[in-house]
Amino acid sequence: MVFSYLLLSCVLIFSCHIKNDTTQSVADEKLVKGKLLANKYCSSCHLAPDPFLLDKETWHNRVLPAMAKQLGLEVWRGNNYYQNEKSAISQADWMQIVAYYDTLAPKHLPVSKSPVPLVKDWSVFSLQKPKTDTLKTAVTTMVTVDSSTHSVYTSDSEQAGLYQWNSSLKQSGFTQLPSPAVQMGFQEDGSSFLTCIGEMKAVDVPAGKLVISSVSNKKNILQTVTSNLTRPINSVSGDFNKDGLTDYVVSSFGHNKGGLFLVKQLPDHTFQNFPIREVPGATQSIVQDFNQDGWPDIMTLFAHGDEGIWLFLNDQKGSFITKNILRFPPVYGSSSFQLIDINKDGKQDIVYTAGDNSDYSRILKPYHGLYIFTGMGDFKFKQTYFYPINGCTKVMVADIDQDGDMDINTIAFFADLLNKPEESFIYFEQDNSSQKAVLKFKPHAIPVYSNGRWICMDVNDYDGDGDLDIVLGNYSKGFLNQKNLKPNWDVHVPFVVLRNSTK
């Protein structure tokens, strides 16, 4: 009797073990299949993201439904997916992808922790700001310093125009623009070029323009270089075919459309657009002769979807050879980069920020922040530094304290404004006196977060005293991702100047 009972127990235990192993095996096979399908379909447009990059709720209710539409699936309430004749994926395969992310994504992302505590002081800076109009909400889209005239130029999204502010921070000029300017560059002939975004909202409206502003009889004259651009946000100049005429490269961020375009000046001084890479998310370009063949090349940051940095080498025949340098997951929110030899080893390094957070996954992300990729030669770069900054928006590198090494300045429009507003502007003072091989920074949280919400920045010698000052532009309308967040900063001042007192 006892033997029979033991035998029956062993059979039951063995059966349960087989059942559990079989169930686990089936589950594992489904996850493997889901990962393979995700890699197949997601990587056709961008780097396939790992599940741990977002939490379960964000994947399930926001990102995956948006991606399903990109693959032609119909999405109804409750995240019900339906296949039609235009779908690029079957409903069954898509549901395996959904199960893969649902199963492996964390319930919550970890909270970012600073490896070096922020020093809350003014460091070398003092605050200056223009007179505030309390009847207006600041919606500044651009700040630019003209060191030759000790002027600040701004633009805003309410009254699309170019504002000039004198050395006393009083408005001294205004020029109506076709739409808000988001970037400005100065040219040798005294003129400037302005990238006018057209439409601030994330829609594919081709209303953007690149215009040249020049002064004639004390009036600003605008010349349209090119129009019908989809949300352009950056332009750079260069003579790319070496014909003696200035050409431009425009980063058209767009939404579902956009790309990087060469705006070539023709002999009759008209301009014609040529696509270099027609992918939305073109953000910022740097022009240099990267391969030292005597011809200007382009390095460009792409965000929004297929995120990364691409190099476009001039083939000397009117086109470019494309080479990917760095690639990031599509949830990173790539926002800016600088190219500079920050460790003084004779090779250029990439200083990069991730933090754009106005898409489908508007949550705090521990991988947002400041990165340094050290140049290894032959267009190869290795990550050597990371400092987490929620919603980091822009980086500018310069020797702020005049000690001979490069310091770093960051703004974070999508900072953790509820719990850590001080990260909205950080000055990273470099100090490599003890270990030259290791990058070392002292991060100063300059207490300027109560004065505005910073969306744009420029670094230049505003007051003509020989050191570099910083101007921050305030955008205080909308884009509040965090629940129960109400502005506790000055929503009226259009910009502030951090005057450098090093000299």
Side-chain angles (χ1 to χ4, degrees):
M1 186 71 173
V2 175
F3 175 77
S4 300
Y5 176 77
L6 290 174
L7 179 61
L8 178 60
S9 298
C10 289
V11 169
L12 289 174
I13 292 170
F14 183 66
S15 299
C16 291
H17 182 69
I18 292 175
K19 185 177 180 180
N20 289 338
D21 282 353
T22 303
T23 302
Q24 184 63 46
S25 177
V26 170
D28 290 344
E29 286 180 9
K30 287 183 177 180
L31 289 178
V32 170
K33 182 66 180 298
K35 181 177 181 179
L36 291 173
L37 289 168
N39 288 338
K40 175 183 176 181
Y41 287 99
C42 298
S43 61
S44 63
C45 297
H46 50 68
L47 196 65
D50 288 319
F52 63 79
L53 290 173
L54 298 173
D55 61 75
K56 290 181 186 294
E57 191 276 334
T58 302
W59 276 123
H60 193 84
N61 295 325
R62 304 181 198 179
V63 176
L64 289 175
M67 295 304 100
K69 292 179 181 179
Q70 296 293 326
L71 292 171
L73 293 172
E74 297 180 24
V75 184
W76 297 88
R77 289 183 178 179
N79 295 339
N80 295 310
Y81 301 99
Y82 298 96
Q83 182 182 353
N84 58 43
E85 64 277 3
K86 296 182 180 179
S87 300
I89 186 174
S90 70
Q91 183 187 33
D93 282 352
W94 177 253
M95 294 312 298
Q96 290 200 65
I97 293 176
V98 172
Y100 166 63
Y101 283 97
D102 278 349
T103 302
L104 297 183
K107 187 175 181 180
H108 301 288
L109 292 186
V111 177
S112 62
K113 296 182 180 179
S114 303
V116 180
L118 291 171
V119 179
K120 300 177 183 180
D121 65 5
W122 284 97
S123 185
V124 298
F125 299 108
S126 60
L127 179 67
Q128 289 189 295
K129 54 185 179 179
K131 185 178 179 180
T132 300
D133 184 348
T134 57
L135 297 178
K136 294 182 179 180
T137 298
V139 282
T140 304
T141 58
M142 179 198 78
V143 288
T144 303
V145 176
D146 182 357
S147 59
S148 65
T149 60
H150 311 302
S151 301
V152 174
Y153 288 93
T154 66
S155 188
D156 69 56
S157 63
E158 290 293 327
Q159 186 176 4
L162 180 66
Y163 298 81
Q164 183 175 6
W165 308 80
N166 63 22
S167 58
S168 300
L169 300 186
K170 294 181 179 179
Q171 186 180 333
S172 58
F174 174 82
T175 302
Q176 187 66 50
L177 297 175
S179 66
V182 291
Q183 184 253 349
M184 182 178 188
F186 298 103
Q187 306 192 107
E188 292 182 359
D189 63 0
S191 65
S192 57
F193 57 90
L194 295 154
T195 307
C196 299
I197 193 170
E199 180 56 63
M200 293 289 292
K201 297 178 182 178
V203 292
D204 291 315
V205 177
K209 291 185 177 182
L210 174 63
V211 300
I212 293 177
S213 174
S214 56
V215 178
S216 177
N217 295 324
K218 296 184 179 180
K219 292 183 178 181
N220 277 348
I221 307 298
L222 297 182
Q223 172 196 355
T224 298
V225 174
T226 187
S227 56
N228 298 321
L229 299 170
T230 307
R231 299 176 74 217
I233 60 174
N234 176 262
S235 303
V236 290
S237 62
D239 183 4
F240 293 95
N241 57 358
K242 300 179 75 169
D243 64 352
L245 301 174
T246 300
D247 311 306
Y248 299 90
V249 170
V250 178
S251 296
S252 181
F253 191 92
H255 181 51
N256 293 316
K257 299 178 181 178
L260 185 70
F261 298 91
L262 172 64
V263 184
K264 181 181 176 182
Q265 186 171 180
L266 305 178
D268 63 357
H269 301 297
T270 60
F271 293 86
Q272 186 175 356
N273 287 10
F274 296 91
I276 299 175
R277 186 173 186 251
E278 284 193 274
V279 175
T283 298
Q284 177 194 350
S285 293
I286 294 172
V287 174
Q288 284 185 18
D289 180 8
F290 288 100
N291 57 359
Q292 299 181 349
D293 64 352
W295 291 71
D297 310 303
I298 309 160
M299 186 176 285
T300 302
L301 173 66
F302 282 79
H304 187 52
D306 193 8
E307 300 197 22
I309 295 175
W310 274 261
L311 178 63
F312 303 95
L313 295 172
N314 197 326
D315 70 357
Q316 307 178 21
K317 300 175 183 177
S319 189
F320 296 88
I321 300 167
T322 302
K323 181 180 179 67
N324 178 244
I325 301 300
L326 294 171
R327 209 170 182 206
F328 310 108
V331 297
Y332 260 43
S334 299
S335 50
S336 72
F337 82 112
Q338 299 268 273
L339 194 63
I340 196 163
D341 181 9
I342 200 163
N343 60 359
K344 298 183 180 180
D345 67 349
K347 302 183 186 73
Q348 287 189 313
D349 310 302
I350 291 175
V351 184
Y352 157 87
T353 58
D356 186 6
N357 213 9
S358 187
D359 214 322
Y360 303 113
S361 56
R362 301 178 183 182
I363 59 174
L364 298 175
K365 299 164 184 170
Y367 43 85
H368 274 177
L370 169 68
Y371 294 77
I372 296 176
F373 295 90
T374 298
M376 311 303 290
D378 193 29
F379 305 125
K380 300 226 175 5
F381 295 85
K382 178 183 177 181
Q383 183 182 326
T384 55
Y385 184 85
F386 172 67
Y387 194 95
I389 306 170
N390 292 294
C392 197
T393 312
K394 186 172 183 178
V395 62
M396 297 193 78
V397 182
D399 185 3
I400 296 296
D401 55 6
Q402 302 284 294
D403 66 350
D405 56 27
M406 291 293 111
D407 309 303
I408 299 175
N409 308 280
T410 63
I411 56 172
F413 185 65
F414 294 104
D416 183 355
L417 298 171
L418 277 174
N419 305 300
K420 204 175 179 182
E422 60 270 17
E423 66 184 354
S424 61
F425 173 75
I426 302 176
Y427 158 53
F428 290 85
E429 177 189 357
Q430 185 173 178
D431 178 14
N432 290 334
S433 57
S434 58
Q435 291 179 298
K436 289 293 183 182
V438 178
L439 289 170
K440 183 181 178 183
F441 296 92
K442 181 179 181 180
H444 298 265
I446 308 301
V448 73
Y449 48 86
S450 63
N451 298 104
R453 186 181 179 194
W454 316 121
I455 197 171
C456 48
M457 169 175 58
D458 195 23
V459 178
N460 212 326
D461 185 5
Y462 161 72
D463 52 13
D465 66 352
D467 54 26
L468 298 173
D469 311 296
I470 298 174
V471 183
L472 305 175
N474 181 15
Y475 197 103
S476 290
K477 186 175 181 180
F479 299 102
L480 300 177
N481 291 345
Q482 294 175 284
K483 292 181 180 180
N484 303 318
L485 173 63
K486 295 181 180 180
N488 57 1
W489 59 86
D490 188 338
V491 300
H492 304 295
V493 65
F495 67 94
V496 299
V497 176
L498 298 178
R499 189 183 289 272
N500 190 341
S501 59
T502 300
K503 286 193 174 182

